[in-house]
Amino acid sequence: MLVIKCPWCGPRAEIEFSYGGEGGIARPTQTENLTDAQWGDYVFMRHNPKGLHHEQWRHASGCGRWFNALRDTVSYEFSATWKIGEPAPAQTVPAP
Ligand SMILES: [Zn+2]
């Protein structure tokens, strides 16, 4: 069984969580100046690395809160989780 550490509730079973896609994607601020291609990149283009991946998860069957996670896409191991709005842990978050 995979165990994920919710930043608020602590370690819980994977079944309590839902995946929310790639993390660390900032919404554009000057939207009126974006081209269709730039909007398309923001809305649709995501990284699919083999290895460490910055992701968003939600503790759906627990506190219901969203958080950031750093997960290895090969081993499924979570190496870090942290609250939205907080800086990533000292460990390096891969650049997109
Ligand atoms: Zn929680």
Side-chain angles (χ1 to χ4, degrees), residues 3 6 19 21 24 36 40 44 46 51 60-61 64 73 77 80 82 89 91:
V3 175
C6 172
Y19 175 70
D36 288 346
F44 300 111
R46 297 294 180 261
S61 297
T73 58
E77 180 183 342
W82 66 99
Q91 168 170 36

Side-chain angles (χ1 to χ4, degrees), residues 4 33 85:
I4 301 172
N33 298 330

Side-chain angles (χ1 to χ4, degrees), residues 6-10 12 16-17 59 62-65 67:
C6 172
W8 289 273
C9 307
R12 298 287 193 274
E16 295 185 12
F17 295 85
H59 193 184
C63 63
R65 293 177 171 163
F67 58 93

Side-chain angles (χ1 to χ4, degrees), residues 21-76:
E22 185 174 348
I25 300 172
R27 182 180 174 85
T29 54
Q30 301 289 327
T31 56
E32 64 276 3
N33 298 330
L34 293 181
T35 65
D36 288 346
Q38 290 169 320
W39 262 118
D41 284 347
Y42 167 70
V43 174
F44 300 111
M45 301 306 287
R46 297 294 180 261
H47 296 95
N48 187 21
K50 182 177 183 180
L52 287 179
H53 190 221
H54 181 186
E55 302 174 334
Q56 300 178 98
W57 284 77
R58 182 173 176 258
H59 193 184
S61 297
C63 63
R65 293 177 171 163
W66 287 92
F67 58 93
N68 291 294
L70 191 60
R71 182 178 67 91
D72 189 309
T73 58
V74 176
S75 66
Y76 291 93

